[in-house]
């Protein structure tokens, strides 16, 4: 994402934040840390841009809804340690700490954002968060998966950036984890929960997933003769 467009998107996102400005500044610094090749500020800007483009005329554009969505976007990857398996849970705790310290958000709103953040860790199953039927949670889950439905070139760039974040994994392990995740998405009747998101990204997402499997198959060593 170009610098000027990213700055405008991030300013709009952080302006909607429901937590104090000092906390927002701290999270913004965290998201700009070295090593965040994919899960960084560009990712947040892309999610907010996607939200603003596709939410026109929906309940998600009300001020109250946008504050919740902004909170979920800002915090859903706030904690990132590639060797940990509880990044989403740690991000939830960070969100709750900052949201409660401000004293301005009702408990139900804090809980909805927490559930959305937690749900981004369960995309492969489609169960975490999605089972609640909460429109805000489902919208955030779709936003986080929108990159799967990017152009083929952007999808491959995103894949390379993700691989750089998890450079400690072997090539075989990375391949197995990636194909396992993408295969789980492909096996869902519909990847995206919202009709708007499905219309925008479903076809491209399935094409990108199929392309990833084709490339993996082409790189696979031939079977040994029996």
């Amino acid at each position: 994402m170009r610098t000027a467009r990213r700055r405008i998107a991030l300013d709009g996102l952080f302006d909607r934040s429901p937590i104090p400005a000092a906390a927002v500044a701290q999270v913004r610094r965290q998201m700009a840390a070295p090593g965040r090749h994919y899960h960084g500020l560009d990712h947040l800007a892309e999610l907010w841009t996607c939200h603003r483009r596709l939410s026109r005329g929906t309940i998600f554009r009300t001020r109250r809804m946008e504050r919740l969505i902004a909170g979920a976007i800002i915090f859903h990857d706030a904690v990132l340690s590639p060797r940990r398996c509880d990044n989403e849970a740690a991000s939830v705790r960070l969100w709750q700490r900052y949201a409660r310290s401000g004293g301005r958000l009702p408990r139900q709103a804090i809980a909805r954002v927490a559930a959305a953040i937690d749900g981004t860790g369960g995309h492969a199953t489609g169960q975490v968060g999605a089972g609640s039927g909460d429109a805000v949670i489902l919208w955030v889950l779709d936003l986080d998966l929108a990159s799967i439905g990017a152009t083929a070139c952007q999808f491959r760039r995103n894949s390379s950036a993700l691989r750089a974040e998890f450079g400690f994994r072997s090539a075989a392990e990375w391949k197995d984890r990636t194909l396992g995740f993408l295969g789980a998405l492909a096996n869902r009747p519909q990847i995206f929960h919202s009709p708007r998101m499905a219309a925008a990204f479903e076809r491209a997402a399935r094409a990108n997933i199929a392309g990833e499997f084709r490339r993996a198959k082409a790189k696979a060593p031939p079977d040994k003769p029996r």
Side-chain angles (χ1 to χ4, degrees), residues 1-189:
M1 179 177 282
R2 291 185 177 179
T3 303
R5 188 160 63 94
R6 184 183 80 161
R7 185 180 64 251
I8 292 170
L10 289 173
D11 287 347
L13 169 63
F14 289 113
D15 282 347
R16 297 296 195 287
S17 171
I19 63 170
V24 170
Q26 175 61 34
V27 176
R28 192 166 186 167
R29 285 192 292 271
Q30 286 181 219
M31 298 299 295
R36 285 181 175 265
H37 303 283
Y38 176 78
H39 294 102
L41 291 174
D42 273 353
H43 180 52
L44 299 190
E46 292 287 357
L47 264 63
W48 187 248
T49 299
C50 179
H51 161 70
R52 294 291 290 177
R53 178 167 62 89
L54 293 179
S55 65
R56 294 188 183 98
T58 72
I59 60 170
F60 303 119
R61 286 296 280 269
T62 65
R63 181 171 179 80
R64 182 173 66 88
M65 285 288 197
E66 283 210 320
R67 282 163 59 81
L68 297 182
I69 292 165
I73 290 175
I74 292 167
F75 278 88
H76 80 288
D77 289 318
V79 176
L80 179 68
S81 180
R83 294 180 184 271
R84 292 175 59 160
C85 60
D86 65 340
N87 286 303
E88 287 79 18
S91 295
V92 166
R93 291 192 293 272
L94 187 65
W95 154 254
Q96 290 171 330
R97 190 176 84 217
Y98 282 139
R100 290 166 180 164
S101 67
R104 297 180 295 178
L105 282 175
R107 281 185 290 182
Q108 184 182 17
I110 294 174
R112 290 179 83 183
V113 173
I117 296 168
D118 188 50
T120 61
H123 286 306
T125 64
Q127 295 173 352
V128 180
S132 70
D134 187 306
V136 169
I137 295 174
L138 298 180
W139 186 254
V140 172
L141 296 183
D142 281 353
L143 287 172
D144 197 35
L145 282 180
S147 61
I148 305 292
T151 65
C153 288
Q154 185 61 52
F155 176 79
R156 289 194 290 273
R157 283 196 293 269
N158 291 340
S159 297
S160 296
L162 282 166
R163 180 67 179 107
E165 282 186 351
F166 293 85
F168 66 93
R169 299 195 187 280
S170 68
E173 185 181 10
W174 179 252
K175 175 184 173 182
D176 287 345
R177 290 174 66 89
T178 299
L179 296 184
F181 174 72
L182 294 177
L185 292 180
N187 286 335
R188 284 159 54 167

Side-chain angles (χ1 to χ4, degrees), residues 138 141-149 188 190-203 205-206:
L138 298 180
L141 296 183
D142 281 353
L143 287 172
D144 197 35
L145 282 180
S147 61
I148 305 292
R188 284 159 54 167
Q190 185 167 292
I191 295 173
F192 297 92
H193 304 94
S194 161
R196 284 199 181 196
M197 291 287 191
F201 301 117
E202 187 82 18
R203 180 178 295 182
R206 292 193 178 276

